[in-house]
Amino acid sequence: MSSIPISLLDLEEHDACGLGAEDYQKKEGKWCAGCGDFGVLNAVKRLLAKHQIRPEKMAFISGIGCSSRFPHYVNAYGFHGIHGRALPIATGLKLARPDLDVFVVTGDGDCTSIGAGHWIHATRYNANMTVLLLDNNIYGLTKNQTSPTTPQGHPSNTSPRGSQLPALDPLQATLGVSNASFVAQTADWVPAHLYATIEAAYAHPGFSFVRVLQRCPKFTPDVFSANVKNPDLTELLVHEKGVNAPGLEKLFKATRVHDPKDLDGARTLAQRKDMLRLGVFFCDDSFPVYDEVRAVPPVTPEEKIQRLEKEFDRYAV
Ligand code: SF4
Ligand code: MG
């Protein structure tokens, strides 16, 4: 761990922990060269350093997949769960330890296939956590099987003649769930947008769902390559209440003003397939948050004993 920079020591009274971005990296990421997961890890490390989140005050929860290796690489509490189960683990943790900042890192196979039931209910529960869906349109860790988000016609080991069905759209699905409170899309190859989106998600008091379009040079090198090469094929959603990062409007010629409170507009945009769209599709912080509405007021040891005695008295003979 590096020595504490002077500038951060000055912030000690504001509960700064004195960690720089690199101090949040527990060990080197073991992903393929060029994998988009590295960019997401860098953005997360920047966020943790900027907000000076103490390692013991946050937890990263994952399921199974390339992206689910994330908790091994972050200097924080971590739980590398089983396939598709990151969200119920994270919800349980948030209920038991509401003081922790909870992050979930999941993949398209993990979240939208085996974990799909949990995804719907966790969205509706709207517990306060930041969920990053790293969507590379394929099962990568298990070496190239079609996932629900694999584009129609894209070949894989399980669909050698190409995926037969239209891909499931995670934005459309999440926006269709009652009580969904934050839905955004960003891309690993636009670092400024990626960072600003994760920061907006972290700031949102509720279940923040961010789909990160993630390059997988190993198995789906073609799916985002046109957009990576040509920014004109991507439209940026802009609004004062959305994601704003300096310089982005110069990079992307196509911009659209979209109010994140407009749910119908968000659903219409998510449905359109003419361009990739990056930005906050929907955000409303007035919806019920499960860990708040379900919170039980703290009870003193004396009160607990009184309640127990009362219960025992009911069965006294
Ligand atoms: Fe990244 Fe794809 Fe390699 Fe997995 S298989 S580490 S997603 S490049
Ligand atoms: Mg995947």
Side-chain angles (χ1 to χ4, degrees), residues 20-29 31 34-50 60 70 73-74 105 132 134 188 190-192 194-196 198-199 212 215:
E22 290 315 310
D23 297 320
Y24 286 99
Q25 179 130 10
K26 195 155 41 181
K27 57 181 172 177
E28 204 181 327
W31 293 302
C35 177
D37 291 357
F38 286 107
V40 182
L41 181 58
N42 283 338
V44 166
K45 285 174 357 193
R46 262 183 75 194
L47 175 88
L48 304 182
K50 177 169 172 200
F60 282 75
F70 222 87
Y73 306 143
V74 184
V105 185
L132 307 177
L134 275 52
D188 81 71
V190 193
L194 174 70
Y195 176 78
I198 296 176
E199 188 167 48
V212 182
R215 287 170 295 176

Side-chain angles (χ1 to χ4, degrees), residues 5 11 16 18 24-25 53 56 61 63 68 97 123 146 150 161 170 191 194 203 236 247 252 302 309:
L11 293 173
Y24 286 99
Q25 179 130 10
I53 309 173
E56 72 275 17
I61 315 295
S68 287
R97 289 288 308 271
T123 302
T146 295
T150 302
R161 285 185 294 244
L194 174 70
L236 197 64
F252 295 103
E302 292 73 26
E309 294 291 354

